Amino acid sequence: MTIRLSQVAVLVEEQASAFEVGAVTEMLGPPHYDVTICAADDRTEMRGGLVARAAAGLDALAGADTVVIPDRPLSTVPGVPVTAALRDAHARGARMIAFGGGVFTLATAGVLDGRRATTHRGLAEDLKAQFPAVRVEADPLFVDDGDVLTAAGSAAALDLGLHVIRTDHGAEAGCAVAKRLAFPVHRDGLQSQSVDRPLPRIRDGSVTPLLTWAQSRLHEPIGVAELAAAAGISVATLHRRFAAQVGVTPLAWLTRGRLLIACRLLERGETRIEVVARRSGLGTASHLRVVMRRELGLTPSAYQRRYAAAAARSADIST
């Protein structure tokens, strides 16, 4: 059975981040995507003196389902052919993704007018000043505004890449890619760029051991009070440490971890909603439905119909 892979075009500009170009080709490649490196010129110098010899020109954007623009310095100014090709691709229905300075390329093309977007925190004021029509959100790691997605820096680009895979192919596929790359399975886009991560002066100042402990117990009825007790600190101190080191509240961290487990169970074919709720730690079927509708906009059954089919297609591709 021949299945058409989703076509991804990575637009390489002058002094683009070689790391991000490589990361995109590694994450958004087979078995789910077919990646093409394209550029306005045959030879494009990237950051660090590396040279990209593009496999295609700007015409690759015309056939892409997703266009990705890695980070580049603000001194790089996209030419008219680049911005015109981006506008045409977006008008045709292509999903647009940009990281860091690459967000400015989308903005120059007019794709971000009236849209929510983020960039690296150090560039946010420049983006606001140069493109007042863009609804800049300076704090999140990444922003998903439907067919336009933007991320802050290189690490956030990985987070957004996993988010795209989960959105397209489900949590199981996202977990598989994260495991292969030895990258954290899930950091929510709403997590702040400005999370303070100092080296703790005392060994128990870090919440990392607590997260490891809790990760293996998400199916149990542990809540914020239990987390604080396990760490030997007050609930107030727990909230402060999560804010400083994780960027979300303890309850949000627990809920999203359990939601990920629930999604994986549904993708694996578990149809008993009560069982999914219990094994994921979300408790009841009604609570599971509330959380999935709030976080994903889907009921458990709708999620399963969508992503169980995607998992089956992935199996067909791999064979």
Side-chain angles (χ1 to χ4, degrees):
M1 179 180 181
T2 300
I3 298 177
R4 177 184 178 273
L5 299 185
S6 179
Q7 301 297 304
V8 177
V10 182
L11 176 62
V12 180
E13 300 180 272
E14 285 293 332
Q15 295 302 306
S17 166
F19 169 81
E20 292 179 11
V21 173
V24 172
T25 59
E26 185 71 22
M27 297 179 74
L28 302 185
H32 303 300
Y33 307 93
D34 186 16
V35 181
T36 299
I37 303 295
C38 66
D41 302 308
D42 294 336
R43 184 182 184 280
T44 305
E45 185 170 334
M46 297 186 292
R47 211 165 297 163
L50 298 176
V51 175
R53 297 187 181 279
L58 296 177
D59 56 330
L61 301 181
D65 302 300
T66 299
V67 175
V68 182
I69 309 174
D71 181 41
R72 50 76 166 176
L74 296 191
S75 57
T76 297
V77 179
V80 172
V82 170
T83 55
L86 289 173
R87 279 195 298 272
D88 289 345
H90 184 243
R92 180 179 48 78
R95 174 173 55 187
M96 315 301 283
I97 300 175
F99 311 137
V103 176
F104 286 74
T105 299
L106 277 187
T108 302
V111 173
L112 296 183
D113 287 356
R115 306 298 294 268
R116 297 168 50 240
T118 192
T119 185
H120 190 280
R121 194 173 184 84
L123 303 177
E125 291 304 317
D126 291 301
L127 186 62
K128 290 178 182 178
Q130 293 181 36
F131 304 100
V134 179
R135 296 162 56 192
V136 179
E137 299 182 10
D139 203 39
L141 289 174
F142 63 82
V143 169
D144 181 343
D145 197 33
D147 61 345
V148 176
L149 301 92
T150 51
S154 294
L158 295 176
D159 292 309
L160 179 52
L162 289 176
H163 170 75
V164 168
I165 295 168
R166 287 193 301 269
T167 300
D168 290 351
H169 301 284
E172 191 76 11
C175 288
V177 173
K179 182 178 180 180
R180 178 166 55 83
L181 298 179
F183 192 73
V185 171
H186 183 63
R187 290 200 302 167
D188 194 88
L190 294 177
Q191 181 170 317
S192 173
Q193 293 183 38
S194 58
V195 172
D196 183 16
R197 296 179 184 270
L199 291 174
R201 294 184 179 180
I202 55 176
R203 182 175 297 274
D204 64 354
S206 170
V207 298
T208 300
L210 178 63
L211 298 183
T212 302
W213 176 86
Q215 191 76 51
S216 63
R217 294 169 173 80
L218 289 173
H219 61 287
E220 299 177 9
I222 58 172
V224 176
E226 287 75 19
L227 287 179
I233 57 179
S234 69
V235 170
T237 299
L238 180 72
H239 274 275
R240 287 195 296 270
R241 289 187 183 176
F242 262 72
Q245 299 178 40
V246 184
V248 297
T249 66
L251 180 58
W253 184 86
L254 287 169
T255 300
R256 290 164 187 169
R258 286 165 171 159
L259 177 60
L260 182 60
I261 295 173
C263 289
R264 298 182 72 180
L265 289 169
L266 290 167
E267 289 172 32
R268 292 173 179 176
E270 179 56 74
T271 58
R272 297 166 296 175
I273 304 305
E274 296 80 5
V275 172
V276 173
R278 184 179 69 252
R279 291 180 60 189
S280 65
L282 288 172
T284 65
S286 60
H287 186 221
L288 172 64
R289 292 187 180 95
V290 168
V291 171
M292 292 197 72
R293 280 187 176 277
R294 183 183 69 225
E295 301 293 332
L296 304 176
L298 293 170
T299 63
S301 57
Y303 182 93
Q304 188 167 59
R305 284 194 300 271
R306 176 174 178 179
Y307 290 113
R313 288 195 299 270
S314 296
D316 288 339
I317 292 171
S318 62
T319 56

